Amino acid sequence: MFQCCQEKNGLTDKPDIKDLTQDRLAAWLEERGIERYRVQQIFKWIYIRQVDRFQEMTDLGKDLRDRLASCFSIRRLTVQKLQTAEDGTRKFLFRLADGAHVESVLIPERDHETLCISSQVGCAMGCAFCLTARGGFIRNLTAGEILSQVRDVCRTASKNRITNIVFMGMGEPLANYDHLVYALEILTDSDCGLKFSNRKITVSTAGLAPKMADLGRDTRVNLAVSLNATQNPTRDLLMPINRRFPLEALLDACHHYPLPPTRRITFEYVLLADINDTPEDARRLSKLLSPLKAKVNLIPFNEFEGAAFRRPRQERVLGFQKILIEKNLTVMIRESKGTEISAACGQLSANALPRQEDCF
Ligand code: SAH
């Protein structure tokens, strides 16, 4: 199944063991006549005790440790740059084994921290208001790379304070479905995984309607939908995915989404001055959402150089929110954190050329 390989020039091209599901690792062990219960032991070393070397797995025999070490690696992402904003938001620029880059953002809240992670290098969705879209799509992250963002940030920063994970960084998580679902499995595994609660994990989608149904079937995490417009012509222009899955199909998928009791779908709505921020938009939005178990996150546009849009004035944002509240919707205005280090929604690009002294 996996070719064993030699170390070359100090770099390893052995597969990352974090890319293996429990079943695949069990199959690898079985081929070598080793019992399945070792899988749990190995996973606990990786995700709970978070060791870097197979030799540290002291409840495995030396022979098994050697065999694991000759076939697999336990990769860490390289932190190429770490920036801290005045509000405490920290942005990690990670370099992956093939030299590609992704960003993760750690956002302080009152009594916990939220980690915003990436699911792809770049993004293929092409949303007109998003900086990540400008670089185009490079590749999917592996499950191991998704998990490594969480594991590595938990190790370097505020270990026990990170309670919430949001897939709102670079990429479209539902376009990298299999790796996403496997990563979610390990993130929420309370026995030998990273032990996050399903209720504290949110997957955000630009609206891949058929995959939303899959997510509802395969997982128990929260769903967020980036709606951003209330009419097809506007949404077509802002989010090209709307031409494949227009509002009708998207909202139909929301209606059929198997929500666990007491949960709601979050609808994100980027407010763009004079594009989608009128009182009529607010009224249409409330109409679209009133039959659903929904809550709304309004995100005033985060500007970046060369952007074709502007952030609405604050009165406009508050007026939009007021109309929704009057229609009994729960509405939050998402204050943007870390804007001066380009760590806010839609500002991740991972194209910064870091200076050496920024690295550690
Ligand atoms: N592809 C996924 C997740 C990444 S984007 C999705 O589309 O949901 C995360 C959120 O940031 C989305 O709701 C998106 O609409 C929003 N966003 C993107 N660019 C933005 C910007 N410049 N200002 C404010 N929000 C933005």
Side-chain angles (χ1 to χ4, degrees):
M1 182 191 343
F2 282 99
Q3 297 293 319
C4 294
C5 30
Q6 301 294 319
E7 294 221 334
K8 287 182 199 156
N9 308 326
L11 292 170
T12 174
D13 57 0
K14 287 179 275 194
D16 185 1
I17 195 160
K18 292 194 262 33
D19 284 329
L20 267 68
T21 60
Q22 297 201 17
D23 284 346
R24 287 191 79 183
L25 183 56
W28 183 89
L29 292 169
E30 199 187 349
E31 280 168 26
R32 287 152 183 82
I34 302 164
E35 315 85 321
R36 189 187 169 102
Y37 76 91
R38 297 287 182 195
V39 171
Q40 275 77 25
Q41 285 180 308
I42 296 167
F43 271 51
K44 282 181 181 164
W45 281 110
I46 295 171
Y47 294 107
I48 299 176
R49 300 189 196 102
Q50 304 190 341
V51 300
D52 280 326
R53 295 181 313 121
F54 291 106
Q55 292 310 333
E56 293 174 63
M57 301 183 176
T58 47
D59 55 4
L60 308 180
K62 173 143 187 359
D63 182 50
L64 176 53
R65 293 191 314 237
D66 289 345
R67 290 176 96 165
L68 287 166
S70 68
C71 284
F72 301 110
S73 60
I74 307 173
R75 283 201 195 138
R76 281 191 75 165
L77 306 176
T78 307
V79 182
Q80 180 128 25
K81 187 172 184 175
L82 173 59
Q83 290 171 281
T84 305
E86 250 168 47
D87 62 17
T89 300
R90 274 172 285 178
K91 183 168 80 166
F92 295 79
L93 175 70
F94 287 119
R95 192 177 70 236
L96 309 175
D98 65 351
H101 291 91
V102 288
E103 289 174 328
S104 313
V105 180
L106 187 56
I107 306 153
E109 321 262 1
R110 195 174 310 162
D111 54 356
H112 68 273
E113 295 193 80
T114 295
L115 180 62
C116 173
I117 58 174
S118 297
S119 54
Q120 299 180 313
V121 184
C123 186
M125 293 294 109
C127 298
F129 49 81
C130 180
L131 183 61
T132 306
R134 301 217 159 174
F137 174 69
I138 310 222
R139 69 169 172 87
N140 280 329
L141 292 185
T142 66
E145 288 168 335
I146 296 172
L147 289 165
S148 292
Q149 293 171 69
V150 180
R151 183 178 176 268
D152 289 4
V153 172
C154 286
R155 279 154 53 122
T156 55
S158 23
K159 196 172 176 172
N160 297 316
R161 284 177 50 84
I162 304 173
T163 53
N164 294 45
I165 307 277
V166 295
F167 283 79
M168 295 183 188
M170 300 169 69
E172 167 52 44
L174 297 189
N176 184 13
Y177 190 76
D178 293 345
H179 292 149
L180 170 75
V181 169
Y182 171 55
L184 289 172
E185 207 176 293
I186 298 295
L187 280 173
T188 57
D189 187 324
S190 56
D191 175 38
C192 56
L194 284 161
K195 302 189 181 200
F196 283 89
S197 157
N198 278 298
R199 310 183 133 269
K200 306 274 183 179
I201 298 180
T202 301
V203 171
S204 178
T205 180
L208 269 65
K211 287 287 175 197
M212 287 162 51
D214 294 348
L215 188 76
R217 185 195 60 218
D218 296 339
T219 77
R220 306 276 289 171
V221 297
N222 296 309
L223 175 69
V225 175
S226 298
L227 196 60
N228 298 339
T230 56
Q231 292 181 305
N232 281 320
T234 313
R235 199 164 189 274
D236 283 347
L237 289 176
L238 296 178
M239 305 181 74
I241 189 71
N242 196 64
R243 295 176 210 145
R244 265 172 72 201
F245 306 113
L247 280 169
E248 297 72 21
L250 178 56
L251 292 166
D252 192 56
C254 295
H255 280 286
H256 290 104
Y257 193 76
L259 272 180
T262 76
R263 301 250 208 122
R264 289 183 280 182
I265 300 178
T266 301
F267 288 88
E268 293 155 288
Y269 194 96
V270 182
L271 282 167
L272 307 165
D274 303 325
I275 305 280
N276 65 358
D277 66 338
T278 65
E280 295 76 59
D281 284 305
R283 282 190 279 276
R284 270 194 302 269
L285 182 59
S286 68
K287 237 192 203 141
L288 291 179
L289 299 188
S290 62
L292 291 162
K293 285 169 76 181
K295 56 184 171 182
V296 181
N297 272 347
L298 297 176
I299 318 174
F301 177 59
N302 293 312
E303 297 181 353
F304 51 85
E305 218 179 288
F309 303 99
R310 283 176 305 112
R311 168 188 290 241
R313 292 189 323 276
Q314 188 66 359
E315 310 88 84
R316 188 83 158 175
V317 174
L318 294 175
F320 197 97
Q321 181 191 35
K322 187 159 172 271
I323 294 173
L324 298 180
I325 290 174
E326 281 166 3
K327 303 284 180 190
N328 293 321
L329 280 162
T330 307
V331 193
M332 301 286 290
I333 298 175
R334 265 244 300 268
E335 50 166 314
S336 294
K337 302 224 175 172
T339 39
E340 83 272 22
I341 56 166
S342 295
C345 294
Q347 292 186 321
L348 302 186
S349 68
N351 61 4
L353 276 179
R355 300 192 315 268
Q356 204 53 43
E357 59 268 30
D358 291 322
C359 311
F360 66 84

